[in-house]
Structures are given as C-alpha cells and as structure tokens.
Amino acid sequence: MATKHTDYDPIIQEIVDYVYNGQITDEGVYQRARVALLDALGCAIETLHFSSDCKDLIGPVVPGVVAPGGVRIPGTAYVVDPLKGAFDIGALIRYLDHNDAYAGAEWGHPSDNLGAILSVADWLSQQRVEGQSGPTVRTILEAQIKAYEIQGVLQQRNAFNEHGLDHVILVKVASTAVVAWLLGLPESAALAAVSHAWIDGHPLRTYRQAPNAGPRKGWAGGDACMRAVHLAFLTKRGGHLDPSNSTWNGRAAVGIPSALTAPKWGFSSVLYGGKEVTQAYPYGTRVMETVLFKVITAEGHGISAVEAAVEISAMLQVRELVAERDIRAIRIRTQKPAVTIIDKTGPLRNNADRDHSLQYMIAVTLLKGSAVETTDYLDHSPWAFDRRVEALRERMTVIEDKGFTADYYNPDIRSVANAITVELNNGEILDEVIVEFPVGHHKRQETLGRVMEKFRQNMSLMFDQAEADRIIAAADRDQMPVREFMELFVRNQ
C-alpha cells in the first residue's frame, strides 16, 4: 500500500525535502565546494601512490569482469559498475585519513560521500540520452554541498560512537538521499530509500579503537557509499509513481516510515539507547563553509598538536637540546573527542593504528623537527619501529581540558585545540604552546591556498603540471559533463 509523505519520521522528511527543494545560490559556497572536490580527488591519487593495501581493494571484484560505460576510477584504467565505483572512489579518498573532516557530538568526514556522488554521476553521464549532457560539474557540486550538510548537521547532536556505532552511518544516509536525486527518483521514492538507509545494518566502530584498529577504518566510508548506491538502485528498480497520490510504489523496496521511531523495532530503540535522533538546525550550507581541511597529514583532532610540536621542536633546537635525550615529560591538554579517538598507549600494530595515535604523531614531529607526513605512518617508515618514538610516547600524559571541549562543540567557535608542555631532565619547564585553530580551519586565512598546494603536490605523484592545471580549470566549468571531468583522471595503466 502506498504511504503518504507525512507518515515518514520528520528526520527522513527533512533530509529529502532539503535535497529536492533546497536552493543553494551562494557562489562562494560553490567555490569552496570546488576546492573540497579537488582536495578529495587529490587524496585519492595520494592513496594510489602510497598504499598498496588500498590498491589491492579496487577494481572489479571478480578479475576480468568488464562494465561497458561504467565508472572510471581516478588514477587507474579500471572501469567498474556504479556500486564498485562508489566503494573504490570512497575508499581511495578516505584511506590515508587525509580528507576533510567535520566536528560535533560525532566526528566524520563529509567528502566520504563523493564516492557515491562521483560514481553515480559518471555512470549517468555515460548512459545519457543522445543530445543530452547528463550530470555536469555543477550537479556534482550541488549534491556534494547537500551531502556535506546532511552529514554535518546530524553530527552536531547525535553521538553514535557512544553506542558503539561508526559515524559512516551518516555517509550512508546522506549519500542515499543525494543518489536518489541524481537518479531522478521522485521525492516519495527518496523517502523510501533513506528509510532503508536508517534501518540498514550499521558497522561497529571497533575497527577504529584499540585493540582492533585496522585497515577497515580506511574503507568504511567506501563501504557506506556502496551501500547507499545499492539502496537507491533497489528502490528505483521495479517501482513506479502512483499519479493519484504522488507516492512511490516500490515492490521490492517499500518504504519504512517509522524507521527511526518505531517502538521496540526502530533505530532509536534497537541501536540508539532509546534516544531521539535530532537535527541541530535547518539544513543550509554551514558545513561546506566551515569544514576542516587536512593540510597536515594527521587525524583531525591532532593537527593542532602537530603544529604545537613543530613550535616546541624549534624551541629545543635553539637551546641545542635533543628530544629523546633531554625531555623528561610531555603533558598534552586536548578536547574530549581526541581523548576518545586518538589517545593511544601500548603497541601500534599497523598504519591505521599509528595514524590514530596522538602520541605517535607528536613524537615523530618532535624527532623530525617538522610536521608528520603520510609516509611516516606506513609500515615501512623508519619511524614505525623507532625506539625513540616509543620512548617519547611513554613520557606523554594526555588529559581533557574542559574549556577546549566546550569550544570544540560551540558552533560559533569550533576550535580543535591542543596544548603541549615539555619538562626537561634538568627540571626546567618550557612555555606551554597552545594552538586553537589548526591550519585547514576556516578561520585561518591561508587555508584554501594551502589546500590547493596540497592538491598540486598530490597530483604530481601521477600527473604533470599541465594535467593538474586542466583539472583545476575543469572544476570551474559548471556545464562540463561529468564524463569529461572524470576522463581527466584516467591513467591508462
């Protein structure tokens, strides 16, 4: 039986109404989205260059399977179906933890959604009706802005991590909504698809926490993108719009109106401790305007700590002191999410473990005298098994600063602060170094310029300068078909 739109949980209705009817007219927001798009694709190229583990995951699931007119995977010659394309692009963007991030009661990475958006848009662009361009760069940007906003707004008050659930649940929800829109489904079908996204099996975040932190955290976003695309296609298949009441009759994917609020069986009762999922404020463009870019390769809650460690290293050098020899203790004040996510003692077993250790990134920075980099986390890095790193980690104490936590959650401040104090072996205590707004924060004027430098550096791993210039110019061409944009990233090898 068809269901009226108003029967759906308000959270689901608000998401779909925003995607289908929300108007985004601020060209400044679109310009920032272009930078975010390029940054994410640069991260994908960086992953291909540095991570053999992720390279093993991409391409056809069954070797040799061909998908004519399928999705092109950036930096490769692979052509795959839209589901695998969503996984591959999402995993490449996310794997090294170098893509943008957004804070709230929950922490997440809005550019994860680009795996689903780019995959479906590229496929649609190649399946176009003769004489029509299909999705354009402007289409990607609108879907991107809206997916960022849905994920970010819902992160503000909903701490899924407190219930053991991973934040990629919001990637799945946001991507399902915008993919339904890209596919041309009516609003009533999008409501059905999004309702399925909420009741879907959701991953436990144990793969981000000791003792199980591991590579899955790198491909979890891609997995969520793939599931979102699957749900949207399932909803589309076999369904039709009932003209008498404008509702969607999907024979196989009938909507679940009270997916969140159904007593005993809904999301809130089963997985969220009986709490209500809430929307912090009306959907607009705030998330794209304030998203944190990772100019320094570090988990987002630790970027300011890396900057502070660079300052302390300079202080040591002036005094002709050596970190591993002359430091007795290191005290770190940080925000509560950093304590939860990256305060990590004990053995670090792999790249995923190391890049989520506040102590590791500070120790390596102090020993190098410069910011930690992507290669410093890898298994073959000389730092990975350096005893000096372990010695410094053992001298560190991490505590929550409640003021930092309050400013972190305050939407008008949104700092990601860290403070480091070093005590020397002679008993002297160096001046504490505090960094509230790390490079990449929207309050740092140099951020967008630094992000573009990061993009060029990442692209230089596989592309020449002229190719990078053409891609940057293409991101400004709103009416360029997506198939032509994605073609610029193909490597025939």
Side-chain angles (χ1 to χ4, degrees), residues 264-394:
K264 186 177 180 180
W265 305 113
F267 174 86
S268 293
S269 293
V270 176
L271 297 173
Y272 204 43
K275 295 193 300 185
E276 179 184 0
V277 176
T278 59
Q279 181 180 328
Y281 45 79
Y283 296 118
T285 59
R286 182 184 296 186
V287 177
M288 183 59 76
E289 293 170 24
T290 60
V291 70
L292 175 69
F293 291 103
K294 291 190 178 181
V295 176
I296 291 175
T297 311
E299 199 280 339
H301 297 93
I303 294 175
S304 58
V306 171
E307 286 195 274
V310 170
E311 285 192 45
I312 289 172
S313 178
M315 294 163 62
L316 295 174
Q317 290 176 26
V318 167
R319 294 165 173 259
E320 298 184 347
L321 300 174
V322 179
E324 68 270 24
R325 183 193 65 201
D326 296 307
I327 291 178
R328 174 186 294 170
I330 302 170
R331 290 186 287 277
I332 304 155
R333 291 191 293 129
T334 192
Q335 351 83 38
K336 180 181 178 180
V339 175
T340 301
I341 299 169
I342 56 175
D343 175 13
K344 190 175 294 183
T345 58
L348 301 175
R349 297 174 176 83
N350 51 53
N351 169 67
D353 230 359
R354 287 184 286 273
D355 72 21
H356 268 53
S357 169
L358 179 63
Q359 291 90 334
Y360 181 87
M361 61 183 74
I362 292 173
V364 172
T365 298
L366 289 174
L367 291 168
K368 288 178 60 178
S370 59
V372 65
E373 300 174 283
T374 300
T375 52
D376 296 331
Y377 301 106
L378 302 180
D379 290 341
H380 57 72
S381 166
W383 302 110
F385 303 100
D386 192 313
R387 292 183 178 179
R388 296 174 300 165
V389 172
E390 297 312 304
L392 284 178
R393 287 179 63 218
E394 291 174 0

Side-chain angles (χ1 to χ4, degrees), residues 73-85:
I73 305 305
T76 78
Y78 288 130
V79 179
V80 297
D81 68 86
L83 273 69
K84 192 57 169 58

